[in-house]
Amino acid sequence: MSPLWRDELRIALTPGALAWARFRRGFSRRGPETGVLRLPAQMDGPAWQPAIDALAQVLDTAGGAQAAVVLSNHFIRYLVLPGNVDITGAPEWEEYARHRFTVAHGAAAQGWSLRLSADGAKAPRLASAVDAALLEQLRETFARKYVPLGSIQPHLMVSFNRFRAKFDGKDAWFVSHEPGRLSLGLLRQGAWHSIRNRRAESNWQAELADMIDMEHQLASLREPCR
């Protein structure tokens, strides 16, 4: 079957739930089929394991579809690498990113899979890291269920790409919210300057201005960015 005629299955993996939507292709005019599996709290092991364990149940009904997976920011670490003309080529950038993650998070970073934005050598790059075991089990589950996996993306990038055009080289804060998690990213002249994951309480909206003020101080900004 041509990929253009395959149904599209979008799946979101989070610590507390696995959600999906199936979009019909061809001549069908029906809206997407959607569903949510609530997951038990993970007492031992990685926080992503319940979502992986539940994935096979969703894929059992995914025949004929091609999947795209979005990973919760709970499972992703981010950092911004400053531009560096002395670093040449993707392997050197990845080595530099792994060093920075190791400094920030310790030896566990050696077992993470990294992805970097493809910007110029002089521009800052956004780096993301995810447990390599998560990606391995994810891909193995799709292969075992014979469901083609088109992409795996962090929630931050999916949400940011929806609004990328609105920034247009401006200074701005981008805030991505999930239950229990905030990702606060600062853009200067349209390029990433800093990013931080923070715990989100139920009243996070009321506290957001204070959080951004604190991030201003941590970023050592001369002028506030709103």
Side-chain angles (χ1 to χ4, degrees), residues 118-182:
D119 299 300
K122 295 183 179 180
R125 297 192 179 205
L126 179 64
S128 61
V130 61
D131 192 340
L134 165 57
L135 297 182
E136 181 180 357
Q137 291 192 35
L138 185 64
R139 293 185 176 113
E140 188 278 331
T141 303
F142 274 91
R144 178 162 45 87
K145 294 296 182 178
Y146 301 100
V147 177
L149 177 56
S151 66
I152 304 172
Q153 298 185 73
H155 179 266
L156 175 71
M157 298 316 300
V158 173
S159 55
F160 176 73
N161 285 338
R162 290 181 59 194
F163 300 98
R164 178 188 294 269
K166 293 182 178 293
F167 291 97
D168 191 28
K170 301 174 183 176
D171 293 357
W173 284 96
F174 182 78
V175 181
S176 175
H177 172 256
E178 300 177 59
R181 178 72 60 171
L182 279 179

Side-chain angles (χ1 to χ4, degrees), residues 26-42:
F27 298 105
S28 173
R29 298 191 178 203
R30 289 181 295 171
E33 301 169 8
T34 62
V36 177
L37 284 178
R38 300 297 175 185
L39 305 175
Q42 179 73 350

Side-chain angles (χ1 to χ4, degrees), residues 3-223:
L4 295 177
W5 286 92
R6 286 186 182 273
D7 290 354
E8 181 183 3
L9 181 65
R10 302 178 190 172
I11 302 175
L13 274 63
T14 79
L18 188 153
W20 74 92
R22 181 167 182 155
F23 297 83
R24 298 290 181 179
R25 299 301 190 191
F27 298 105
S28 173
R29 298 191 178 203
R30 289 181 295 171
E33 301 169 8
T34 62
V36 177
L37 284 178
R38 300 297 175 185
L39 305 175
Q42 179 73 350
M43 304 306 295
D44 299 310
W48 46 261
Q49 194 64 58
I52 291 293
D53 294 341
L55 179 60
Q57 180 178 338
V58 173
L59 297 185
D60 280 338
T61 60
Q66 177 163 300
V69 171
V70 176
L71 297 178
S72 165
N73 290 327
H74 285 269
F75 306 147
I76 311 288
R77 292 86 170 175
Y78 301 100
L79 57 78
V80 176
L81 306 175
N84 191 327
V85 295
D86 295 325
I87 300 178
T88 59
E92 287 190 19
W93 274 106
E94 181 171 339
E95 182 180 357
Y96 176 46
R98 192 171 301 280
H99 168 73
R100 290 283 305 278
F101 276 116
T102 301
V103 170
H105 299 281
Q110 296 301 314
W112 295 347
S113 177
L114 308 185
R115 179 182 295 180
L116 282 71
S117 61
D119 299 300
K122 295 183 179 180
R125 297 192 179 205
L126 179 64
S128 61
V130 61
D131 192 340
L134 165 57
L135 297 182
E136 181 180 357
Q137 291 192 35
L138 185 64
R139 293 185 176 113
E140 188 278 331
T141 303
F142 274 91
R144 178 162 45 87
K145 294 296 182 178
Y146 301 100
V147 177
L149 177 56
S151 66
I152 304 172
Q153 298 185 73
H155 179 266
L156 175 71
M157 298 316 300
V158 173
S159 55
F160 176 73
N161 285 338
R162 290 181 59 194
F163 300 98
R164 178 188 294 269
K166 293 182 178 293
F167 291 97
D168 191 28
K170 301 174 183 176
D171 293 357
W173 284 96
F174 182 78
V175 181
S176 175
H177 172 256
E178 300 177 59
R181 178 72 60 171
L182 279 179
S183 297
L184 291 89
L186 173 62
L187 293 105
R188 305 299 303 271
Q189 298 180 346
W192 291 103
H193 181 273
S194 64
I195 190 164
R196 190 186 310 274
N197 279 342
R198 299 183 57 135
R199 181 178 177 83
E201 305 295 346
S202 59
N203 62 336
W204 67 271
Q205 290 169 308
E207 298 178 347
L208 183 58
D210 290 338
M211 291 186 208
I212 289 179
D213 284 340
M214 183 177 296
E215 294 297 326
H216 277 147
Q217 297 176 32
L218 293 173
S220 300
L221 298 180
R222 294 182 178 179
E223 296 293 333

